[in-house]
Amino acid sequence: MDFNNPAALETLSQWFLQSLSPDPEPRRRAESSLSAAAASPGFALAVLNLVATDPVDEQIRLAAAVHFKNHLRSRWSPSSSDDLPIPEAEKNQIKALIVSLMLKVPRRIRPQLSEALSIISSHDFPQAWPSLLPELVSNLRSAADYSTVNGLLGAANSLFLKFRHSFDTSALRLDLKYCLDGFAAPLLEVFLKTAQLISASAIAGSPDVLCPLFESQHLCCEIFHSLNSIELPEFFEDHMREWMTEFRNYLTATYSPAVEAEGTVDALRAAICENLQLYMEKNEEEFKDYLKDFASAVWNLLTTSAAITSRDQLTITAIKFLTTVSTSVHHSLFGGPEALQQICESIVFPNIQLREEDEELFEMNYIEYIRRDIEGSDIDTRRRIACELLKGIALNYKEQVMAQVSMQIQRMLALFAANPGENWKAKDSAIYLVVALAPKAGTGGPASGYLVDVESFFTSVIVPELQGEDVNATPILKAGALKFFTVFREQIPKPAAIALLPNVIRFLGSESNVVHSYAANCIEKLLMVKDRAPAPAPGLNSVNFVPRYGASDINPIMQELMRNLFTALRFPDSQENPYIMKCIMRVLGMAHVTGELAQACINHLASILAEVCKNPKNPTFNHYLFEAIAALVWRSCEKDQSLIGVFEGCLFQVLENILVNDISEFWPYAFQIFAELVEIRKPPLSDSYMQLFQVLLTPETWKKSANVPALVRLLQAYLQKVPNELNNEGRLGQVLGIFNKLISVSSTEELGFFVLNTVVENLCYDMIAPYIGTIWNVLFLRLQNKRTVKFVNSLVIFMSLVLVKHGAGILVDSINAVQANIFGAILQQFWIPNLKLISGTIEVKLTAVAATRLICESPSLLDASAMELWGKMLDSIITLLAQPDEYKGDLENDTPDIPETVGYSTAFARLHYAGKREEDPLKEIRDPKEFLVTSLAKLSALASGRYPAVIKKYVDPSNQAALLQICGAYNCAIV
């Protein structure tokens, strides 16, 4: 299409009109036409001209503006080779027009062009668009009305936002200097000129007159923040008094109720408070002369601030500023008894009270309520910020703050006791204060810093709420009690917690989404509690923690617990409640679930999985669902083999449907569950499993990178369970082909070694022998072309595994068969230097024992000419074994904290409960240190006097001392 033709505008106009059609057919045709035309030169400019054409319908112009913005986002500097970039000549024309057009278009279209300008500037400004800033300044100084002024300031604001968020570099500072030189003075001019107009109109001015002026000042304050974000510029330091004088005026002045009701004044005040906080954090020395006046102004503003939703942002930013002051060297401003009492009574306590808006959120949007209340959402709330102010003051006036807050809590509880039905919000506020001001974990002893005696408060205030018969009464209060139990779960004695568990389980039946979510969250978090063990396990240097609760604690209540959890998933809006499913996962990962209960659980879970497969939309819930299935399979089928057939009957069809219907986000999960089922099955495997094995070995299955880790997990399960099947139909060759592909790419090389190690662990050498030369060739070629520490470490582990499984002779001879005497070079250049870098309990033991066998049993290292290699290898073994022991908890008692932020992505989502159970290939050897010194003692007895001299010459003195210490511990001597 020739976009220079006037008819092209009419065609574009029709396309955009049809793109708004409720009828999908013309809408799709229009979108297809626009997509096809987008690659044509002149398209972006033509769309921009359409946006600027007055006679065209405003709806069409708005659709065109949105399309123009998105077109620039994808094609101004395309990240994909599929998108053709806009030609340079066309870019220059757009840059020449966009500012003037942005000022001419209707108000509702202007934000789209402003955002388009921001997209261009993110790539071109200032280096490739030096005319932009002078053009903005020129238009700003000649603007005839505040609609134009605010449009220009909004565009400038979007340009300068990068100084707030970008990493500080010399290039960024050069850009900042350019912007300051060109815009700092005009910004102050506009700010002071507008201040004069506001001052002249403040008394009699109508909202129509004043609100654009306040909006202009708000934008000036936003730009002020951006230009001051990196450091205090010289211009702003020189003109600080002018800025601060006006800032204080807006914080202390009052305007007509009609103007205040518009919200623009409060938006300006909130931006000013953010600027004050910025100066407190970055420029405290220069700002200190103004601090007392501003602290007083903000303080007074808060004490007179109405508790209405429209003032939330102002209240929050103002309290944040006072909090910053309270933690600075100027904290004495709040140190007096009267000041502290006024802050508590006029600022803090009013802002922690539950408001109608909070109740509406609790009832109408439980997910958002929970995000704000217990998940530490980025969204600040009045309650949270008010408590942060108390915490800030308490850093220097802890006793005074605790006294004030303790008295307030007692007043609130007394108010509730006088009339529980009317004053339940007072009790909610009291609970909130205690929870919000609890010290973080690790900041003191068991009772350090708590406002109240936790056990006493729990017994007298919380337990009555939890024991209330009606689970639907005062739901906000019940939610607060459950939150208290969750937060203080480590301080609540185990007997008291166990006694209350049936009560918490009852609240899973509450009709309130928040309450049954908090009940599930409470149970799940309770089962995660760990206590310090009486003493570390023998030989371990690190502290040992053990779970406080185990299967014996929850087995007696399992029937009711699981029934209520699955019932809770039937409540409206809770069908995919992640808190409930996470609790199900945690319980099934800990309890002993057998018989009819296990069958009921797997039926429920399979049914839920079949339902979510129809429309996977909640990645967190779905991850916990698969974890719950994996936990149930692992815990139940290992103890009761009769359940395997039942589980297969429930799961096979839904898992196969995932693969057949290409529900790609679930594929990694399905493969991991299949791997678990293969592992618990006794051979021979059924035809269904073997058909899946055939599919697993085809190259097409491995094309999607997100599936590869799960496919490796499944392949390992088959190699371990049916190794003899690899003799048939060239399957071992197919497996090694998969290994070859994985090992050739850095991102999957470790997975390639997982496959190779499993082959060596489970197949006899006669099966491997025909391929061993090819395996070494592949590994050494990769070593030669792209060597990394991770790869060499994995190679050392693999060579160690070959040695312990098939003997030092086979290892040395098979490597030397690749190239004469290459084993010595591999040993010297890679094995010896990297042995000391191995980590992991099983890996350290494996490589230490293998290296010990090599120096004590292999003729290639026992030869007199190899004594230097022998000594250096021993030095690496001692270094490896001298590392601190790593404590690994017993998998039976493991309670992993699975992240909340799991989701669908190209990254692999590992299921903890379906993870491969690592097996020690050297179970017969208890201690690698003992094995080393006893092997050396036997060797030295055969060649008395030879090895002490080698050790003295080639082993580091500190390692010689460590070796003597190990020998002494095991009563061995090297002679």
Side-chain angles (χ1 to χ4, degrees):
M1 179 183 292
D2 180 10
F3 288 108
N4 293 316
N5 187 330
L9 276 186
E10 180 59 32
T11 303
L12 278 175
S13 180
Q14 288 302 310
W15 286 347
F16 282 116
L17 178 61
Q18 291 166 8
S19 74
L20 301 173
S21 171
D23 188 348
E25 191 55 39
R27 189 173 67 246
R28 289 195 194 102
R29 280 201 308 269
E31 289 168 352
S32 177
S33 299
L34 288 167
S35 179
S40 304
F43 174 77
L45 191 60
V47 175
L48 180 59
N49 285 329
L50 178 64
V51 173
T53 304
D54 279 333
V56 177
D57 183 83
E58 193 171 310
Q59 282 293 103
I60 295 174
R61 295 171 71 186
L62 180 59
V66 173
H67 191 90
F68 175 73
K69 173 192 69 178
N70 293 332
H71 181 76
L72 296 191
R73 183 175 282 121
S74 62
R75 292 182 185 264
W76 195 270
S77 181
S79 56
S80 168
S81 57
D82 297 336
D83 294 326
L84 293 175
I86 299 170
E88 284 301 319
E90 188 177 350
K91 285 184 177 181
N92 291 333
Q93 287 179 281
I94 291 170
K95 288 191 287 189
L97 291 171
I98 191 167
V99 173
S100 59
L101 293 181
M102 180 187 71
L103 300 176
K104 293 176 183 177
V105 296
R107 187 179 181 87
R108 61 192 296 235
I109 297 175
R110 187 178 296 169
Q112 301 300 328
L113 291 190
S114 180
E115 197 172 338
L117 184 148
S118 179
I119 291 166
I120 300 170
S121 66
S122 68
H123 297 289
D124 289 13
F125 179 77
Q127 286 81 5
W129 200 359
S131 63
L132 175 59
L133 200 58
E135 184 178 4
L136 290 176
V137 171
S138 174
N139 280 287
L140 193 61
R141 284 176 166 155
S142 62
D145 59 77
Y146 268 84
S147 175
T148 303
V149 168
N150 292 343
L152 291 163
L153 288 174
N157 184 39
S158 67
L159 290 184
F160 304 144
L161 281 174
K162 68 177 184 178
F163 299 121
R164 298 193 192 195
H165 311 303
S166 300
F167 186 71
D168 187 8
T169 63
S170 55
L172 188 72
R173 284 178 175 258
L174 283 174
D175 287 354
L176 175 59
K177 184 180 185 305
Y178 172 83
C179 295
L180 287 166
D181 291 344
F183 205 80
L187 178 69
L188 182 59
E189 288 174 23
V190 172
F191 185 69
L192 294 177
K193 177 185 174 183
T194 309
Q196 290 175 350
L197 293 174
I198 291 173
S199 179
S201 309
I203 297 175
S206 68
D208 290 341
V209 173
L210 283 172
C211 286
L213 302 180
F214 284 124
E215 183 184 345
S216 176
Q217 298 300 68
H218 178 212
L219 287 166
C220 287
C221 287
E222 293 290 345
I223 295 170
F224 177 98
H225 194 290
S226 296
L227 295 179
N228 283 269
S229 287
I230 293 178
E231 62 181 3
L232 176 61
E234 184 179 348
F235 180 88
F236 284 92
E237 185 173 3
D238 293 342
H239 296 274
M240 189 180 295
R241 184 161 299 280
E242 290 127 293
W243 283 102
M244 297 301 153
T245 299
E246 296 305 324
F247 283 176
R248 188 173 180 279
N249 286 341
Y250 295 128
L251 293 178
T252 55
T254 56
Y255 302 94
S256 69
V259 172
E260 292 277 5
E262 291 293 322
T264 51
V265 181
D266 278 352
L268 169 60
R269 290 167 178 153
I272 290 170
C273 289
E274 288 181 346
N275 288 337
L276 299 180
Q277 184 173 349
L278 176 71
Y279 267 45
M280 269 301 299
E281 291 172 348
K282 289 184 174 287
N283 313 309
E284 186 176 338
E285 182 62 30
E286 295 83 358
F287 181 62
K288 64 182 180 183
D289 292 339
Y290 304 93
L291 177 59
K292 186 174 181 180
D293 284 346
F294 274 117
S296 175
V298 172
W299 186 328
N300 290 332
L301 185 66
L302 283 168
T303 56
T304 57
S305 176
I308 55 176
T309 306
S310 61
R311 308 203 80 171
D312 276 1
Q313 188 57 32
L314 170 61
T315 302
I316 288 167
T317 53
I319 294 176
K320 276 185 172 181
F321 167 66
L322 293 185
T323 302
T324 303
V325 177
S326 74
T327 58
S328 72
V329 295
H330 307 284
H331 57 76
S332 59
L333 290 171
F334 306 129
E338 292 183 4
L340 184 57
Q341 183 176 355
Q342 189 179 358
I343 286 175
C344 289
E345 293 182 357
S346 302
I347 298 175
V348 175
F349 298 150
N351 280 296
I352 63 156
Q353 291 173 4
L354 201 69
R355 297 177 301 152
E356 287 184 13
E357 293 81 7
D358 300 318
E359 292 183 72
E360 288 177 9
L361 192 68
F362 183 94
E363 294 171 2
M364 306 300 294
N365 189 348
Y366 84 95
I367 293 174
E368 182 59 28
Y369 182 91
I370 293 173
R371 282 183 64 246
R372 296 184 185 188
D373 192 41
I374 66 171
E375 289 191 1
S377 157
D378 290 337
I379 298 173
D380 291 318
T381 64
R382 287 189 183 218
R383 281 186 144 190
R384 184 186 304 165
I385 294 303
C387 288
E388 289 300 317
L389 175 57
L390 272 186
K391 291 178 185 177
I393 299 172
L395 288 175
N396 298 290
Y397 307 99
K398 182 177 179 179
E399 291 182 2
Q400 296 94 313
V401 168
M402 290 185 69
Q404 285 283 340
V405 176
S406 296
M407 284 192 294
Q408 178 65 16
I409 289 171
Q410 293 306 315
R411 284 196 292 266
M412 290 173 173
L413 293 177
L415 195 62
F416 170 78
N419 190 341
E422 289 292 324
N423 299 330
W424 63 268
K425 289 184 182 180
K427 184 174 183 179
D428 173 77
S429 296
I431 295 172
Y432 186 90
L433 265 178
V434 175
V435 172
L437 298 181
K440 300 293 184 185
T443 57
S448 172
Y450 291 122
L451 289 169
V452 297
D453 180 288
V454 172
E455 286 189 45
S456 173
F457 190 88
F458 182 72
T459 303
S460 61
V461 178
I462 302 301
V463 169
E465 293 298 330
L466 298 179
Q467 291 178 338
E469 291 187 11
D470 186 354
V471 296
N472 294 313
T474 54
I476 292 181
L477 207 49
K478 299 295 188 291
L482 288 164
K483 179 183 175 183
F484 183 98
F485 193 179
T486 307
V487 170
F488 292 100
R489 59 191 179 276
E490 294 185 359
Q491 283 71 42
I492 307 300
K494 181 175 178 178
I498 292 291
L500 278 170
L501 259 182
N503 296 98
V504 177
I505 291 171
R506 285 192 308 113
F507 284 105
L508 292 168
S510 170
E511 294 172 1
S512 165
N513 297 94
V514 174
V515 172
H516 60 241
S517 297
Y518 278 23
N521 184 62
C522 179
I523 296 166
E524 190 270 327
K525 291 291 188 288
L526 197 67
L527 298 183
M528 288 279 292
V529 174
K530 291 186 178 184
D531 293 320
R532 188 187 294 263
L540 295 175
N541 297 330
S542 55
V543 177
N544 184 7
F545 287 89
V546 294
R548 180 182 295 180
Y549 302 94
S552 60
D553 297 311
I554 57 174
N555 282 344
I557 53 175
M558 271 298 291
Q559 293 280 355
E560 183 185 5
L561 174 56
M562 296 312 299
R563 181 173 61 251
N564 285 18
L565 282 167
F566 284 118
T567 300
L569 289 172
R570 300 196 190 107
F571 282 112
D573 298 324
S574 275
Q575 290 90 343
E576 295 187 18
N577 187 313
Y579 303 98
I580 296 171
M581 188 52 70
K582 190 176 186 183
C583 185
I584 291 172
M585 172 206 73
R586 187 73 64 210
V587 171
L588 295 179
M590 176 178 286
H592 298 311
V593 190
T594 56
E596 292 182 1
L597 180 58
Q599 294 183 39
C601 288
I602 199 63
N603 283 329
H604 279 300
L605 293 171
S607 174
I608 294 167
L609 178 56
E611 192 61 32
V612 299
C613 281
K614 297 174 184 176
N615 181 22
K617 60 182 185 290
N618 189 332
T620 303
F621 174 85
N622 294 335
H623 184 88
Y624 294 143
L625 170 60
F626 280 103
E627 283 282 12
I629 292 170
L632 185 59
V633 171
W634 168 45
R635 297 282 296 179
S636 298
C637 293
E638 278 195 340
K639 292 179 172 59
D640 186 354
Q641 291 282 309
S642 67
L643 288 171
I644 296 175
V646 175
F647 279 37
E648 289 173 341
C650 288
L651 294 173
F652 252 59
Q653 183 175 355
V654 67
L655 294 176
E656 287 176 349
N657 285 342
I658 289 170
L659 303 182
V660 171
N661 296 326
D662 196 21
I663 307 174
S664 57
E665 57 265 62
F666 285 174
W667 277 30
Y669 293 128
F671 290 136
Q672 291 174 85
I673 300 295
F674 272 127
E676 203 178 15
L677 292 171
V678 168
E679 285 181 341
I680 61 173
R681 253 287 171 205
K682 291 182 179 178
L685 297 179
S686 67
D687 290 342
S688 297
Y689 283 113
M690 296 314 298
Q691 288 170 9
L692 179 61
F693 188 32
Q694 282 300 108
V695 173
L696 178 63
L697 296 179
T698 59
E700 291 76 19
T701 306
W702 295 77
K703 286 183 177 177
K704 292 182 180 178
S705 59
N707 296 333
V708 169
L711 290 169
V712 168
R713 168 80 182 88
L714 179 56
L715 181 57
Q716 287 179 290
Y718 276 108
L719 294 175
Q720 188 174 355
K721 189 61 61 172
V722 287
N724 292 331
E725 290 290 338
L726 297 182
N727 267 331
N728 304 327
E729 303 174 13
R731 286 173 179 160
L732 181 53
Q734 290 176 289
V735 170
L736 293 176
I738 293 167
F739 147 74
N740 195 359
K741 180 181 178 181
L742 295 174
I743 211 77
S744 65
V745 182
S746 297
S747 60
T748 57
E749 63 184 21
E750 190 174 31
L751 296 173
F753 276 109
F754 289 169
V755 173
L756 202 53
N757 292 346
T758 311
V759 168
V760 170
E761 279 189 85
N762 294 283
L763 273 64
C764 64
Y765 188 71
D766 288 344
M767 290 177 66
I768 301 172
Y771 302 94
I772 194 68
T774 303
I775 291 171
W776 292 127
N777 272 316
V778 168
L779 292 174
F780 295 156
L781 183 64
R782 175 78 168 77
L783 187 65
Q784 182 179 352
N785 294 335
K786 195 172 182 181
R787 183 186 315 161
T788 64
V789 172
K790 186 170 74 171
F791 179 87
V792 178
N793 288 356
S794 297
L795 178 60
V796 169
I797 292 169
F798 172 67
M799 292 189 294
S800 300
L801 194 59
V802 173
L803 188 149
V804 301
K805 284 292 181 180
H806 305 299
I810 283 178
L811 173 70
V812 175
D813 292 345
S814 63
I815 290 178
N816 282 334
V818 175
Q819 182 180 322
N821 300 319
I822 194 176
F823 180 76
I826 295 291
L827 198 67
Q828 185 168 12
Q829 294 178 38
F830 304 108
W831 198 330
I832 291 173
N834 280 71
L835 178 62
K836 62 189 75 173
L837 304 178
I838 302 299
S839 61
T841 305
I842 292 175
E843 291 82 357
V844 166
K845 179 181 178 183
L846 168 66
T847 52
V849 170
T852 300
R853 284 186 174 172
L854 200 58
I855 63 174
C856 294
E857 300 172 12
S858 174
S860 61
L861 278 171
L862 293 174
D863 189 270
S865 62
M867 285 300 98
E868 182 178 353
L869 283 179
W870 189 97
K872 289 181 177 179
M873 178 64 97
L874 176 60
D875 186 64
S876 283
I877 297 170
I878 299 169
T879 301
L880 177 68
L881 293 176
Q883 296 172 0
D885 293 324
E886 296 180 11
Y887 173 68
K888 301 289 185 183
D890 183 2
L891 192 60
E892 177 73 13
N893 294 324
D894 195 15
T895 52
D897 189 12
I898 295 164
E900 304 283 354
T901 52
V902 293
Y904 307 138
S905 69
T906 53
F908 167 66
R910 185 180 79 90
L911 293 176
H912 168 83
Y913 289 110
K916 188 175 186 297
R917 318 296 182 226
E918 295 297 334
E919 293 190 8
D920 184 356
L922 294 165
K923 294 185 183 71
E924 70 279 6
I925 296 173
R926 187 182 65 85
D927 184 348
K929 292 180 182 178
E930 182 180 17
F931 183 79
L932 172 66
V933 292
T934 53
S935 299
L936 287 174
K938 292 175 185 176
L939 179 64
S940 66
L942 300 174
S944 182
R946 176 180 181 181
Y947 290 101
V950 177
I951 292 170
K952 186 174 182 180
K953 185 173 182 180
Y954 295 112
V955 176
D956 184 88
S958 62
N959 280 343
Q960 292 180 35
L963 181 61
L964 284 174
Q965 188 176 3
I966 297 171
C967 287
Y970 295 100
N971 296 318
C972 293
I974 303 171
V975 296

